[in-house]
Amino acid sequence: MIRIFAISLIGATLSLLALEPAAEAGPSTNPKASASEWEVPDPDTTGMQPAVVRLIREARGALRTRPTSPEAWGHLAAVCYAHNEYDCAEVAYRHATELAPDRFRWIYLLAIVRQHQGADPDEVIALLQRAVDRAPDYPPAQYRLGYALALRGQMAESSEVFLRVLELRPDYALAHRGLGDVLLALGDLPRAVIHLERAARLAPKEGAVVSSLARAYARMGQKDRARETAERAQTLKKSHAIRDPVHSEVLALAVNLAACEQRAERHLDAGEYVQAIPDLKIILELQPDNPDIHAALGQSYRESGRPELAITHFTKALTLKDDMAIAHFALASVFLDQGRLDDAIGHLRKTRTHAPEHTRARVLLGEALRRQGDIDEAIAEFEQAAKLGELGAQAHFYWGKALASRGDVEQAADHYKKATQLSPDHADAHFSLGFLLERLGKMEEALAHYRRAAEIDPTHRAARRLRRLRARGRQP
Amino acid sequence: MRFPCVLVVVAAVAAVVVVADCRREAAHEPPAPEADAPQGETPWFTEITREVGLEFVHVSGAQGRLLYPEIAGSGVALFDADNDGDLDVYFTSGHFGLPERLRGDAPTNRFFRHESTGRFHDATEDSGLTNDGYGMGVAIGDIDNDGDLDLYATNFGADRLYRNRGDGTFEDITESAGIKVPEWSTSAAFFDYDRDGFLDLYVAVYVAYDPSEQCFDPAGRPDYCGPQMFKGISDALWHNNGDGTFTNVSDRAGLTSIAMPGLGVVCEDFNDDGWVDVYVANDRTANQLWINQRDGTFQDEALLAGAAFNLNGMPEGSMGVVAADLDNDEDIDLFLTHFVGESNTFYRNLGGAAGFEDASGASGLSWPSLPYTGFGAVSLDVELDGDLDLAVVNGRVIHGDLLPGTLPPAPWDVYCEPNLFFLNDGDGRFTRIEDPVAAFCAPIEISRALAVGDIDQDGDLDLLVTNIEGPARLYRNDAPREGHWLMIRAVDPQLRRDAIGARVTVAVGDRRLVRTISAGFSYLSSNDPRAHFGLGDCTKVEYIDVRWPDGYRERFPSTPVDRHLVLSRGDGRAQP
């Protein structure tokens, strides 16, 4: 449902008129002249998420200052569409189209909205045709036109559209698929199979294409092939898979919970922490007491170089859920970064309490304790970590460091050796082992480990050590 | 389209020759059709709900928690519960105890007995139909071959089976029959898949709903969840042992290999091999076409048969389903209703084992349905011109823009949509009509079930619609008649019941019209099982062929038109 109100900005209109070319045929034929009087759609935002309400309000606000801007109308339309407010989207796209009748984007998006609204097919097809005329080299628009024609039963016209797309882009899988489906409906089975096979080659993981191909084989009487293809289709995901950047841009404006969760998850999985932050903040607005979101936001801030904000959110997460081992560990990591050993040790101990098999926490705890001088306690942690197995090389490496720091050189060397056995590419272990062996006078063995460390990592300090020894004439 | 009859002159003569093998019902003999009735202003449907006392309002029990079953339900059955020759009505409804039933809630399903006066009265209390579950759908069939109709009620929760005592009152035999369907079941249908003479039961099962799951619309407003949030559940096939008990044979039959959210079900012989198959409409996943392997097992052939996905190879949110010869080519096509943004789909049967093609575009059925979420659907020859038209009821499952003229108040108003009616031009091309059928299409409500039957026994088919949180609406067919009609019961005297699954073919002029004796189709509905034929100008039927559910074929001789017939197995001439 939409509430409408008129923009009343006489001053703004006057100033804009001064910037725009003078109307040649009066206000009724110049949309820019009348745009400031157009009513701005005002969707009923009752119950909407605050972020959605803000976005709509901002888009509407932009129109107060730029009522003749097709981009401003288009943006409001897109914001409305992204949140299923189709009536609002339609009105706003129409105005964007009036203001920029030659722009592909607004006509195209208006066509999509109208189709969704179930508008008269003639109107939708005409809009899509206008869009295609303006961007004949944008295949998704052609595909939509072809599919709309098929929905109206105009199979021959639909196949012509798909053929035109294929003239432009012979490898456009969607057009092969659309054409194959339409030819199947037209009963032209041999040609349908050709195009569906091509589509399946171009998009082998697309379940819908493979399903259509199975159907085509079945219609051709090729039962075994049909069955085999059907079995493959059942293992694949089906989606419309219209890679349509223009439409995707609109959908990306969605700031509802599901959209934010999806985007945030995608960014976090890809290690794009800075990009994840806005969506996590929106989620947090809706779920202020969700410890997982606080933890994810803390992690994103930490990775983005904002440790204080990271600490705030990890602390909040732990206020909400004290046994959240992952948050204790992450907070300890920030403290370690900052050299706050006591704080770090406290949270690493809690991590260990709530997740006794958290090997990394034990290794870090041991190292923090070692740095603090609690060697025995540190060694106990390394011993436990080594038993857990997962990070055995690291455990033995730090264990060796702890022993070395209190002078147990031979025992330390044994643990470094163990570390290199468990992880032959552990450059630090090779280096530390070499260093101890050098101290023990076993120069040849020491050199071998320095060389191995330098091989693994040419920038490793082992390389410098070797250069220095060479300079001193201690190595050939 | 008016159906021409080339034999109209000889038919007038032949009409006086009464064939003794065809017993005619004496009661409710309808008047002759008014061939020249004015068509311009006459509304094709008249709502007579209150006039006949069929006052039922669906209870969702919603209390603001947006629990999924609230938006799914409201089934209906049209059936002759007391064997008095007219159709009684059973409505399903919800209760206020979701998700767990609260003790002490009164059952809200209602049973209305059709009196000889033409009025209905609420006979729930003494009927024994005490279903206290959260009601969904209903299936009707004579499970014990005792000549009266029994009732199966699906629920969100345990289903119930009621045996008819013979006088239109029922007893709950769920436990003694061994039936146990504790999940969220939806549509169900009786059919005899193994030809043993006893009606078996197919139950479509939806999803493993978790009430703690909260869902939101794209603007972040709380809304009902969709099926993708939950795991689908395998449907259930119950074999009738013939001794009052049933055995769950779902696993043995091969059904448990697939777990999809089932909503609609129809049992038909789709590949014309004489054995009844099952088609299941699933929500947002592939549909199934369970082809009867004649050994107690079924194989899903939907994908290869072209009936799993639409033209574009995509699954759709299927709800209601119709199986009928929509293009008059003597095989059984499929019509499915779908979610908003997806077209309703017409799968045209290509004949024999050739499968189906999505002919929605060419049929004219796709585009008008795009803005609506369709549920119940039935085919009927509304104006008796010899082809099957389509009625569809709509109503959203997620809220949308408020439509003007919406009947229910908030919060239900944003789920309401108008209904659709399509007129067949004779060969499977349809035109949406609005004005003549405004009474049926115009009420903007959240409609779900749609049942069809000749409620006033006047030879045309009437419609009954249920609405969530709204009144059921009964529409009398007043369409100007463009032809004659015939309504046929096919009865097997040995089984003492309607021959559910029998294929009836009526030869008129140069055409053969095909219908099936079937009650289970649409959405959550059970319908008048009689085969109804609009005959156009034809005043005489050349012959009637019946293929009985066990494959035995008989031909019944010429008969006059405009009457209800009962064809009894054994009274016809055996056919090869």
Side-chain angles (χ1 to χ4, degrees), chain B residues 421-440:
Chain B
F421 200 95
F422 297 94
L423 214 52
N424 194 335
D425 73 355
D427 62 358
R429 273 190 279 270
F430 292 81
T431 304
R432 179 183 177 184
I433 57 168
E434 293 178 75
D435 288 346
V437 291
F440 171 75

Side-chain angles (χ1 to χ4, degrees), chain A residues 69-103:
Chain A
S69 161
E71 284 73 24
W73 284 103
H75 180 66
L76 173 63
V79 165
C80 287
Y81 179 84
H83 299 98
N84 276 24
E85 293 293 326
Y86 297 117
D87 287 357
C88 159
E90 183 206 342
V91 172
Y93 275 139
R94 282 196 190 285
H95 288 322
T97 307
E98 284 176 70
L99 290 165
D102 292 329
R103 279 287 299 278

Side-chain angles (χ1 to χ4, degrees), chain A residues 400-429:
Chain A
K401 280 181 81 170
L403 289 164
S405 65
R406 76 173 182 199
D408 294 340
V409 178
E410 292 200 358
Q411 277 191 63
D414 288 343
H415 285 284
Y416 288 144
K417 269 183 198 161
K418 184 76 178 169
T420 60
Q421 284 161 5
L422 290 169
S423 176
D425 290 340
H426 198 307
D428 286 337

Side-chain angles (χ1 to χ4, degrees), chain A residues 360-403:
Chain A
R360 190 175 295 274
R362 285 187 179 272
V363 173
L364 275 187
L365 176 57
E367 175 61 3
L369 290 165
R370 184 192 69 80
R371 284 198 224 165
Q372 216 178 34
D374 296 333
I375 304 298
D376 290 342
E377 202 183 340
I379 286 172
E381 292 302 329
F382 294 135
E383 194 174 353
Q384 284 302 314
K387 279 182 188 164
L388 289 169
E390 190 189 343
L391 289 169
Q394 282 295 85
H396 282 287
F397 170 67
Y398 284 110
W399 195 345
K401 280 181 81 170
L403 289 164

Side-chain angles (χ1 to χ4, degrees), chain B residues 490-529:
Chain B
V491 175
D492 186 331
Q494 282 197 322
L495 302 179
R496 299 174 64 196
R497 62 169 173 81
D498 286 308
I500 297 296
R503 180 78 57 88
V504 182
T505 303
V506 164
V508 276
D510 59 352
R511 308 280 292 273
R512 286 163 55 89
L513 305 176
V514 174
R515 306 283 183 266
T516 302
I517 303 297
S518 171
F521 52 88
S522 186
Y523 173 74
L524 306 182
S525 306
S526 187
N527 302 273
D528 187 343

